[in-house]
Amino acid sequence: MKTRTLCLLIILFVSSIMTAQVPKPMNIVHAIKTNQDIKIDALLDEDVWQNTPASDFIQREPDNGKPASEKTEAWVAYDDDAIYVAAKLYDSHPELIKAELSRRDYTAVSDKFLVFFDCFNDKRSGFYFGISAAGTLYDGVLENDDGTDSSWDGVWTGKARRTDYGWCVELKIPFSQLRFEKQDSYSWGINFERDIARRNEDSYLTFKPRNESGFVSRFPALEGIERISPPKRFQVLPYITGKAEYLKHSPGDPFNSGSKYTPSAGIDLKYGLSSSVTLDASLNPDFGQVEVDPAVVNLSDVETYFQEKRPFFLEGSSIFRYGRGGTTVSSNFAWSEPTLFYSRRIGRAPQGSLPSYDFAERPEGTRILGAAKITGRIFNDWKIGAIQAVTNREFAQIDKGGVNSDIEVEPLTSYSIFRVQKDFDRGMQGLGVLSTFTNRFFKDGGLKTQLNSNSLTVGLDGWTFLSDSREYVLQAWMAGSYINGSRERMLNVQTNSVHYFQRPDIGLSIDSSATSLKGLAGRFFLQKQTRPVWLNAAIGFITPGFELNDLGYLQMSNIISSHFQLGYFWLNPTSYYRSIKFFNTIYAMSDFNGDILSLAYWTNVIYQFLNYYTLDVQFSYSPEVLNNRRTRGGPLTINPPAFNCVVNASTDSREPLVFQILGQRYYSKDENYFTIRPYITYRPAPNFSLSVGPGFSRDLITAQWVGSYADPTASATYGRRYVFANMDQVTFSANIRLDWIITPELSLQAYFQPLISSGDYSNFKELSKTKSFDYNSYGSNGSVLQKSVSSSGAVSYKVDSDGDGLAKSYSFSNPDFNLASLRGNVVLRWEFRTGSTLYFVWTQSRSDYEAIGDFQFGESIQRMYDTHPDNIFMVKFSYWWGK
């Protein structure tokens, strides 16, 4: 601890004596009031576009600080209802303009024009709107001075048109899509960006130097907007759906005949509670059009994290981000960042277990009855966000011996999230609070032993820059958690994989009478914002009782983690490279007992060639440390020294054929892992792309978990036998994507993921003593291992650790596996009018499992083809109306 404190003092001392260049003064853009109807056709024949434009754009890339290679002229106009932006983008070779079509907000190799607004003039946040030369729209929000979030989709219009001098654009953005406080006259921040794809050039009216930070804080002022009022915002989006499911089923299944037809309807609405506060509400929301989650084979004791893809939870999600203010980056080494609000918890699969049954029908997800979200600013520029969602009481149907029963598997549940955050001194400091609350209403007493009754999390976060130059920023967060429930449930929480209170050598004790659990977590983070010197350091902790998983995401508790990272960037191109980034990091993690669980040195070089090819090489070394998770609640073991190397190379993303390849090799006495993952993107036409990313890996593990069994004679391991095996896991997978953008409003997208994975277990053994990597193999030194095969072909093993001795015998089933899976969906999307959409969706999944360990690629492909698929077809129609 003294060493960590000394490192932090040194960092703070260095930060106090270093300075950065103060940003140059900014110019002004004038908005012109117009009474003329502006037709959004990109002809620019209205009188208002004949005024003096904003021009003199400056490159950020590739020639940082030099004038843009091509001339750009931009105008801003407004009337009582909307703000208008037009631009002429001159090009000396208009025939070379890139105009690749893509879905809204999707990255494409295309020339683009964007406008940025800081409507509150807070120098940290705002909106952006853009259009490509092919007509694809882009929009989103600006956050934290240097970040963007494209999940927000406004309702606005834009057109692009090719000309003999280049191309031009015209945008109409209703004031209802912006947020601002009513004033007699307005002074906003504004910036423009132009991207020339063939040159990898992006230029701005006001640019950010490569070695500095801050984007919104550099915006020129937008003057001239007067005597307008924020409109009363009201938008409604009703929808109807029809779903047909054709599912794999077993003969005699009373719940699944092989087909199911479900109509549904719902409504989303958006209402402006004030000029800067918005209410979003959704009744019976449906997310059938979102992309399916990938299949995974998870043999660890850590829950798989899936990204949020549902629009209601994505839009406006930036206000709910926690612990990220001030810093433009966040590095994690030997640290799994706790997520206080993980929106995938709302509507997740029902969690209750089922009794023995012959047939069962279980809901795939918990239906969201309704959800409401409030976001905006109140009082003296306090940012607020609140979500309230209620999920249905869900039942599974089971059949046992011809008798049907309804079993409650998820209670009626209320989820509440509240966020408030305030910037001070033009963003020099910030302070915020995030709170979540989960409340369950049980009818079935059996669920009380499986789920928490209530949970509360309260977190405080903030930042402060250490000088007016904003070169260094200190960011911190601290959170407390509280859960309660039945004694049985609290016992389960204490012993689950997040906490492992039952570890015999941890110094913690299980409280079998407890009806609640509480804990703390926090992290302190120092970041140097400017370049070429890079400095990044953090120290964080999670106490043993900290628990988030009702409405957050937490992998483990009882840790103290720190890292120190120093690097150097060469960002100005030379005759040998375009840029080089070099990082060195030392990191460590321990538990509250002082046991060192991770200690490593990591180095990374990212080299970009003059042709925009990139090579990324990482190397790390870890000496021998302790492992407190291998025995899954048992005693400590040892992790032998380990080496890890990762190489990632990619070609120029602008080319019609783009290659990327990632290779990794990890080696220790415990594990020998190798993977290679190429990724190819082919764009034969401006509106069509095909991406294929196959991956192959092999993982040879010396001590793969099998199970643990009570045995009083196992005194060296605290009265339990901890059983492991060698495992040879081979995995092949692929991500296949197809995008056909027929027009900016009409698109066809397809995604498929085949997965084949096998695990071959051998050399079964038990841990011989704690704090070691020593094992006794079964079948030697007097121990007996018997293999048996049942009449159905199921394999099991029986073990007697000392033969004729006093040790108890125990059995376990064959852990070998071979999984063949295919998941995918196809989505046809037509935005037939602004904000109104028609979807046609086809989703297919097929999976086959066998208890064999051999990797048989050909046979697995055949099994995948032969197995009966689940096919789901859906039509969704939504109609937007608003003002």
Side-chain angles (χ1 to χ4, degrees), residues 723-739:
V723 182
F724 299 87
N726 289 24
M727 184 187 70
D728 183 358
Q729 183 179 4
V730 181
T731 301
F732 171 82
S733 64
N735 292 302
I736 303 169
R737 297 182 184 273
L738 182 148
D739 292 283

Side-chain angles (χ1 to χ4, degrees), residues 329-373:
V329 295
S330 179
S331 298
N332 294 321
F333 294 89
W335 174 263
S336 177
E337 183 77 6
T339 303
L340 266 64
F341 173 42
Y342 179 40
S343 57
R344 289 292 294 261
R345 299 298 188 201
I346 303 175
R348 66 171 132 189
Q351 303 169 81
S353 60
L354 296 178
S356 175
Y357 58 84
D358 298 323
F359 300 98
E361 182 180 49
R362 185 186 186 99
E364 291 186 1
T366 304
R367 185 162 63 95
I368 302 174
L369 298 175
K373 176 171 57 179

